[in-house]
Amino acid sequence: MRFQCPYCGVGCGLLYEGGRVKGDKDHMASKGDVCQKPLYYPKVMHKDRLLRPLFRESKRGSFKEIDWERAYSIISSKLKSLSPEEVYFYLSGQLMTEDIYVMNKFIKGFLKTNNIDANSRLCMATPATAYRLVFGSDGPPCSYEDFEDADAFVFAGSNALWTHPVVFKRILKKKAEKPEVKIVVIDPVKTETAKKADLHIQIRAGTDTALFNSVLCVLYKKGWINWEFLKKHVAGYEEAINEAVKYTPEIVSDICQIEEGQIYELAELYAFSKKLISLWCQGLNQSSQGVMKNLSLINLHLATGRLNHRGCPFSLTGQPNAMGGREMGYLSHGLPGYRDIRKEEDRRFMEEFWGIEVGSIKPNPGPTITEAIDLMLEGKIKLLWVVCTNPAITLPNLNKVWKAFERAFLIVQDAYWNDTCEFANLILPASQMGEKEGVMTGSDRTLSLCQKFSEPPGEAKPDWLIFVEVAKYMGMGDAFNYHNSREIFEELKSATRGKLCDISELDYEDLPKRWGGRWLYPELRFQTEDGKAKMHPAVYKHEEFEFILLTGRTKNQWHTMTRTGKSEELLRGEEEPFLLMNPEDGERLGIEEGEFVELASEHGKVKLRVRFGGIKEGHLFAPFGYGLKHGSIINALTGDKIDPISKEPDLKLTPVAIKVKGAVTHEHVKG
Ligand code: SF4
């Protein structure tokens, strides 16, 4: 049986045969390559599963098993007694496209509320916004095929060897064949990826926009801009270049704490490589300046005409179906087919498509998940339904989040007991990868069919079916009369007809297949009003702190370890959280390796064991995935700052103080 890996956004094709998982050689995205995470999937998929719906009247009470009928009756009466603004749904890029489509239809079309968001808000909201601003539509412009003839790869804010291993290993293999291939890594941490690079620019966290502006400044001053390309295909370049020329390498080497020569080296690469691919991930996205960082990097591609056969800006998606979620419009502003609720023609199309009254879909985006947390605390949102994700660990400023969860009626729908269940009133057992059928879309727009190879345990059900049965219970059965995922796919694909992400001609039997072809804009005509791509002035805001906390993943764990943490093999060496610190900082503060220190931000305190390693001085790194049982939950420290355009939270620049033997390093930080 074939399926797509349920972990990172590379979207590797896998085979399940005789109880084992292996790479699928026929899959166009991964060609049989695989990392070790999914190999242990059969071992963990049935471990400690949720088997039946669980309910408790009060948050302090014990859960009791109930049947599905009773669960639907509780949900139905809650949803009917509350106004559309008082309920909120939080979905996941780990759901299948059919799940997401049914939920979005139920919520935006039939409950008539845009109070829905997904964990892509913590991950891909920023590049999706930047792509729309530049190209007029979401979607990475190139595909993995473009890696084959590229001779330069720039990784920004990405530890791809750990987080997207199959992609990075493919590039390493290329470099082994052709040593002239250049790899650049831009990261404050000397990651395993950075160790493999020809050039590691160990930048001060948060200063990427200044760096990319400076590269554009050099391109301009050296006469390396592709003016012909700009005049034909790009708008806004004068304003963008005017902003960038303020960032001379002399000034920026100081801002970024790097050598001036590294900026020139990077500029030469953008100017003279045969084909250059820029790949980036959460280091650029999870930032209060995330959209500006993305725009400043994409500006380099436009200024040098690096699209299609000359290169591409390529955002690596975090989750296995973040692309599918975006195609189905699962954030608070989206509708299927990359439509937008703010556009009347898009609302009217979907209303007609779903057979609902004109005006059913509301024109204003609902609150994002972090805004919804505040509304829960104010008592304005009274019910939260979380599907296939663990926000009790992944959201920022968790002390606040946990208080909000205490106030709302919380429904958790998941395959496993996760940390968010601790705050729940009602828990719904869901089936997962291999126990249901559906499609997912990986980073380069390749759709894969995920076939069923195992029965779900207990009474667990596919996520789409739970929503279908709730809709039927509430009297909306005619619009949700699906018997299997294929029927849902047949409907959702028609909603994409004529749109950039058109999958209307695809059937399950055709997959894997990429939508949009190898290049999304082969004629260099973009989805903007004038058909041109747009460069934007990338405005940089400087922030300085004594100690900056960065958060991220470990090598073998996937997000909050709900599943990968159940594998002894994957857990080996990653059993407990840690704090990565530069040894010079350790010596200055009198800290020894292995010692516990207390970190404090204005939002909370956490104790962590110190590990010395390659990280820029004044920077600290801690993994975010360790749950409540570990006691050291790093998102208790992260704060409320969000990007003003994408509304993605900043998880990469938290000012912290370190308390060592009673003394605090930074007096401005309240503990
Ligand atoms: Fe899965 Fe990502 Fe590893 Fe591929 S690289 S096997 S998608 S975790």
Side-chain angles (χ1 to χ4, degrees), residues 503-542:
I503 53 170
S504 58
E505 297 302 318
L506 294 182
D507 292 317
Y508 273 5
E509 286 68 26
D510 300 324
L511 305 181
K513 256 259 169 28
R514 191 191 302 119
W515 61 259
R518 175 179 178 180
W519 297 331
L520 217 39
Y521 311 107
E523 312 294 335
L524 298 171
R525 292 287 302 166
F526 302 95
Q527 298 275 305
T528 50
E529 268 177 28
D530 61 4
K532 289 185 169 184
K534 189 160 181 7
M535 278 173 79
H536 295 261
V539 179
Y540 169 69
K541 186 169 157 261
H542 190 68

Side-chain angles (χ1 to χ4, degrees), residues 74-311:
I74 293 167
I75 294 169
S76 168
S77 67
K78 281 277 172 197
L79 292 179
K80 282 181 177 166
S81 68
L82 295 169
S83 74
E85 287 72 40
E86 289 175 320
V87 299
Y88 198 85
F89 298 81
Y90 188 50
L91 315 187
S92 166
Q94 292 167 62
L95 289 163
M96 290 179 185
T97 303
E98 292 83 348
D99 299 319
I100 291 164
Y101 174 79
V102 166
M103 291 171 198
N104 214 12
K105 177 177 175 179
F106 175 71
I107 297 159
K108 288 187 179 128
F110 287 77
L111 288 185
K112 301 180 184 172
T113 177
N114 297 327
N115 280 8
I116 162 176
D117 209 4
N119 52 13
S120 285
R121 184 68 61 186
L122 311 183
C123 169
M124 300 312 291
T126 292
T129 305
Y131 280 145
R132 275 179 192 271
L133 287 170
V134 176
F135 301 116
S137 172
D138 192 5
C142 73
S143 59
Y144 295 142
E145 267 166 78
D146 287 288
F147 292 12
E148 295 311 316
D149 56 347
D151 62 343
F153 297 89
V154 175
F155 284 86
S158 157
N159 183 9
L161 185 55
W162 280 12
T163 57
H164 298 85
V166 162
V167 157
F168 195 72
K169 283 182 179 160
R170 182 183 295 180
I171 293 166
L172 283 182
K173 205 167 136 206
K174 250 191 91 54
K175 189 168 170 62
E177 290 158 14
K178 291 187 178 169
E180 66 274 18
V181 166
K182 287 272 179 298
I183 300 175
V184 179
V185 171
I186 301 162
D187 203 311
V189 185
K190 194 163 181 63
T191 58
E192 292 305 308
T193 312
K195 287 176 192 167
K196 304 279 184 198
D198 299 283
L199 172 64
H200 175 204
I201 303 181
Q202 199 167 14
I203 191 172
R204 186 212 296 244
T207 63
D208 312 74
T209 305
L211 172 65
F212 298 134
N213 274 346
S214 190
V215 172
L216 183 53
C217 171
V218 173
L219 292 170
Y220 175 73
K221 292 200 168 158
K222 293 271 189 189
W224 295 340
I225 298 274
N226 187 339
W227 293 109
E228 197 190 332
F229 183 89
L230 287 185
K231 283 176 191 156
K232 258 196 189 157
H233 306 297
V234 181
Y237 54 85
E238 281 165 349
E239 293 86 342
I241 292 172
N242 284 344
E243 180 65 24
V245 292
K246 297 176 194 164
Y247 294 86
T248 63
E250 196 185 356
I251 295 171
V252 170
S253 65
D254 199 39
I255 293 173
C256 300
Q257 295 176 342
I258 56 173
E259 291 165 25
E260 249 179 273
Q262 295 184 321
I263 301 171
Y264 286 102
E265 224 178 304
L266 194 53
E268 279 181 33
L269 219 54
Y270 277 92
F272 302 115
S273 305
K274 184 164 67 80
K275 181 171 183 176
L276 182 150
I277 317 262
S278 302
L279 300 114
W280 73 98
C281 205
Q282 308 314 342
L284 299 200
N285 302 342
Q286 292 177 332
S287 162
S288 59
Q289 302 182 50
V291 171
M292 288 298 157
K293 290 179 181 181
N294 276 239
L295 292 175
S296 61
L297 178 55
I298 300 172
N299 278 348
L300 299 182
H301 280 266
L302 296 177
T304 52
R306 294 204 166 278
L307 283 181
N308 302 345
H309 66 283
R310 299 203 61 230

Side-chain angles (χ1 to χ4, degrees), residues 375-434:
L375 293 169
M376 272 172 238
L377 284 170
E378 290 168 25
K380 290 180 179 157
I381 288 178
K382 297 187 166 67
L383 179 147
L384 170 66
W385 189 339
V386 174
V387 188
C388 193
T389 185
N390 191 6
I393 299 302
T394 51
L395 287 179
N397 197 356
L398 282 178
N399 284 301
K400 181 165 107 175
V401 170
W402 295 332
K403 277 191 201 130
F405 286 177
E406 289 291 348
R407 291 205 63 177
F409 184 89
L410 180 57
I411 305 171
V412 176
Q413 178 172 325
D414 208 286
Y416 300 90
W417 181 279
N418 66 28
D419 302 272
T420 309
C421 293
E422 303 288 342
F423 301 86
N425 299 82
L426 177 62
I427 297 174
L428 307 174
S431 51
Q432 57 170 341
M433 179 64 74

